[in-house]
Amino acid sequence: MAHAYTPGLRVTPQTLLQRQRQLPLKGEVVVSQGDSVTRDQVVAHTHLPGNVTTLNLVNILSCTPEELPNYMLKSEGDPVEADEPIAETRPFIKWFKTTVKAPISGTLESISKITGQVIFRAPPRPVQVQAYIDGNVIEILPEEGVIVETTGAFVQGIFGIGGEIWGPLHVISKEPDQILTPDQIDDSCAGKIVVGGNLLTLDVIDKAREIGAVGIIGGGIRDSDLRDLLGYDLGVAITGTENIGLTVIVTEGFGPIAMARKTFGILSENNGKEASISGATQIRAGVLRPEIIIPESTIHEQTDESDNPGLIEGALLRVIRAPHFGQVGKVTALPPELQTVESETHVRVLEVEFDNGDRATVPRANVELIQE
């Protein structure tokens, strides 16, 4: 029997999660297998090589590459400070002397007798990898990182910007369809992850950033507000490195869309709990979704991260195309035969009952599973 792939996102009140925390290049792991770690704890660190700067000294000194070592005041491997003399000519008349100074602070890495170029390298940059979530180290990746495991609530969003942050959830909206207003963002939001129900507007995000919130979560966002927030149009590249002062996650899509009741319920039940969130999103091959992880969730219905029963009767889904875009419901039937839709194509469909009691027949390609 043929199986059609149906995209999905996980929204679960309790599950087992594992996150790999890896350095960009080999370094030192500073925790041991079995250790209990906190989200802000450094688990591995290394140093990235500094940037390289080159100088063509033979042109500056008017000499040949073979003669260059005779004019050098520094040798390969020597430390240098910015504007420190590193080479000079030795004319008979001192007023004609040419002195070359180091362009950066760092190390004189190479003196080429072939090209006449001198290479400087800036000091190495320290890189630290933090645990990101509260949990236990279940595996060590030698010289690279660790795998951290935790149990808690897990919600995947549709789109996000900004990197990994953590803080207590601060649910402001009373209902999943309530739109936040700037006057609801006050000093109580400082250092917290603000949760609204519906649309996140630019003025609300700006107010949250001004107050000092570390993150903000809502049902939707306007693409024009997103453009104004970033100062440019986003393409299909991965997000998560934006330096905008906080992390933004939308759980449903673009435009004014109420947050799914299950998602809003999980966040509301865990109001005040510490959460770790990441806005990193990739919408092309190798899909990466923004995520909200709440270790030690107050809800105790546990599933496994790998559980995915697929498209079956009773499965929770969201419609991702008009005319029912954004509506959430449950599968009531999966007719096996192809049916003709408005575009006059023959496709597989499903029957769905929405939260408001309405029923509809929808092409299977127009839905996204909410994996519970």
Side-chain angles (χ1 to χ4, degrees), residues 27-77:
E28 180 185 3
V29 177
V30 296
V31 293
S32 303
Q33 186 168 333
D35 284 357
S36 178
V37 293
T38 57
R39 55 197 176 278
D40 58 351
Q41 183 175 342
V42 175
V43 296
H45 62 77
T46 189
H47 286 84
L48 290 177
N51 294 329
V52 167
T53 301
T54 62
L55 274 183
N56 194 326
L57 278 189
V58 292
N59 287 346
I60 300 173
L61 298 175
S62 299
C63 67
T64 64
E66 294 80 6
E67 296 172 329
L68 185 57
N70 298 327
Y71 298 108
M72 296 300 301
L73 302 176
K74 294 284 186 177
S75 303
E76 289 185 356

Side-chain angles (χ1 to χ4, degrees), residues 17-288:
L17 294 161
Q18 294 179 358
R19 289 296 175 265
Q20 183 170 301
R21 312 299 295 158
Q22 193 165 3
L23 292 165
L25 72 167
K26 288 190 176 182
E28 180 185 3
V29 177
V30 296
V31 293
S32 303
Q33 186 168 333
D35 284 357
S36 178
V37 293
T38 57
R39 55 197 176 278
D40 58 351
Q41 183 175 342
V42 175
V43 296
H45 62 77
T46 189
H47 286 84
L48 290 177
N51 294 329
V52 167
T53 301
T54 62
L55 274 183
N56 194 326
L57 278 189
V58 292
N59 287 346
I60 300 173
L61 298 175
S62 299
C63 67
T64 64
E66 294 80 6
E67 296 172 329
L68 185 57
N70 298 327
Y71 298 108
M72 296 300 301
L73 302 176
K74 294 284 186 177
S75 303
E76 289 185 356
D78 286 351
V80 296
E81 295 293 332
D83 295 326
E84 179 184 2
I86 53 98
E88 65 181 14
T89 59
R90 298 176 177 84
F92 290 110
I93 303 174
K94 65 178 181 180
W95 296 289
F96 296 140
K97 182 171 69 174
T98 300
T99 301
V100 181
K101 298 179 180 180
I104 62 170
S105 296
T107 304
L108 196 160
E109 189 168 271
S110 172
I111 302 171
S112 175
K113 297 179 182 179
I114 298 174
T115 64
Q117 288 192 330
V118 175
I119 298 176
F120 302 87
R121 187 175 293 276
R125 292 169 291 163
V127 174
Q128 295 180 331
V129 172
Q130 295 168 297
Y132 173 51
I133 55 176
D134 295 344
N136 297 309
V137 177
I138 63 167
E139 184 179 343
I140 298 294
L141 309 174
E143 299 183 321
E144 294 183 6
V146 301
I147 296 177
V148 180
E149 183 178 81
T150 192
T151 300
F154 180 55
V155 174
Q156 287 183 309
I158 295 295
F159 181 78
I161 53 176
E164 298 173 350
I165 59 93
W166 39 80
L169 291 174
H170 185 54
V171 181
I172 296 178
S173 294
K174 303 300 181 184
E175 296 293 335
D177 58 353
Q178 182 182 348
I179 298 177
L180 285 180
T181 58
D183 60 281
Q184 292 177 289
I185 310 294
D186 54 28
D187 291 340
S188 65
C189 300
K192 297 180 180 178
I193 301 169
V194 176
V195 180
N198 201 310
L199 184 71
L200 294 178
T201 58
L202 180 60
D203 53 357
V204 165
I205 296 174
D206 282 340
K207 182 68 176 296
R209 180 165 51 178
E210 177 187 336
I211 288 295
V214 296
I216 187 166
I217 303 168
I221 189 172
R222 295 190 183 96
D223 59 346
S224 58
D225 284 349
L226 179 63
R227 189 184 311 113
D228 292 340
L229 177 64
L230 295 173
Y232 56 88
D233 282 312
L234 272 175
V236 295
I238 187 172
T239 72
T241 58
E242 299 80 13
N243 185 17
I244 59 171
L246 80 173
T247 294
V248 180
I249 293 179
V250 294
T251 62
E252 314 305 317
F254 288 89
I257 310 175
M259 187 178 291
R261 288 195 172 274
K262 183 178 181 67
T263 302
F264 187 78
I266 291 173
L267 298 179
S268 296
E269 287 288 332
N270 288 284
N271 187 28
K273 284 277 188 177
E274 293 285 341
S276 298
I277 71 174
S278 171
T281 308
Q282 182 167 288
I283 58 176
R284 54 183 179 182
V287 172
L288 179 65

